[in-house]
Amino acid sequence: MTARIERPLSPHMQVYRWTLTMALSIIHRATGMALYVGTLLLVWWLIAAASGPAAYAHVQAFAGSIIGRLIVFGYTWALMHHMLSGIRHFVWDLGYGFKANEREALTWGALIGGIALTVLIWIIAYAIGGGR
């Protein structure tokens, strides 16, 4: 008789070796949730703009503060990362990009691309005078 190897009945996090693809898939979900909160801040800004100069000045003062700029920067990154990860998932839905090297390239592309697009957007915003 051969000895029976005890294995978990269902896979769990202790079984898998963490990969960048796995981490970015989780981050994709987290950025999706963060976009809900950021969209509420965007709605606050739009309502303030429609409410008059005093309400708009209050929101602009918050958005212009250090914490406000960090939040808006984070929102920009979450939006860019979520968009690029969504494209990555769409490519997978089409049946492409499952080979190990393709999967890694798409993952690194989403990670680096999200950061690069965020920085580029902020550079352009400051260049046209949005960062005064």
Side-chain angles (χ1 to χ4, degrees):
M1 265 197 184
T2 60
R4 188 169 175 198
I5 299 173
E6 294 295 323
R7 297 184 183 187
L9 296 178
S10 63
H12 50 82
M13 299 312 293
Q14 290 85 5
V15 173
Y16 293 112
R17 180 182 58 85
W18 277 90
T19 64
L20 184 62
T21 304
M22 181 189 301
L24 257 60
S25 186
I26 293 168
I27 290 172
H28 178 72
R29 289 170 178 84
T31 56
M33 290 184 288
L35 290 175
Y36 280 108
V37 175
T39 301
L40 290 176
L41 293 173
L42 180 63
V43 168
W44 179 39
W45 179 74
L46 290 171
I47 290 172
S51 297
Y56 185 74
H58 182 68
V59 173
Q60 284 298 99
F62 172 74
S65 69
I66 295 295
I67 189 75
R69 287 182 190 227
L70 284 173
I71 290 171
V72 175
F73 186 84
Y75 181 75
T76 307
W77 173 77
L79 187 62
M80 293 300 105
H81 178 77
H82 196 77
M83 176 189 69
L84 292 177
S85 285
I87 292 170
R88 177 174 60 112
H89 282 275
F90 182 66
V91 168
W92 288 343
D93 288 344
L94 292 174
Y96 302 104
F98 288 113
K99 293 179 184 169
N101 62 337
E102 295 170 343
R103 189 177 60 245
E104 288 294 314
L106 286 171
T107 302
W108 279 107
L111 178 63
I112 294 168
I115 294 168
L117 282 174
T118 300
V119 171
L120 181 64
I121 287 168
W122 277 72
I123 289 171
I124 292 170
Y126 271 88
I128 63 172
R132 284 183 239 156

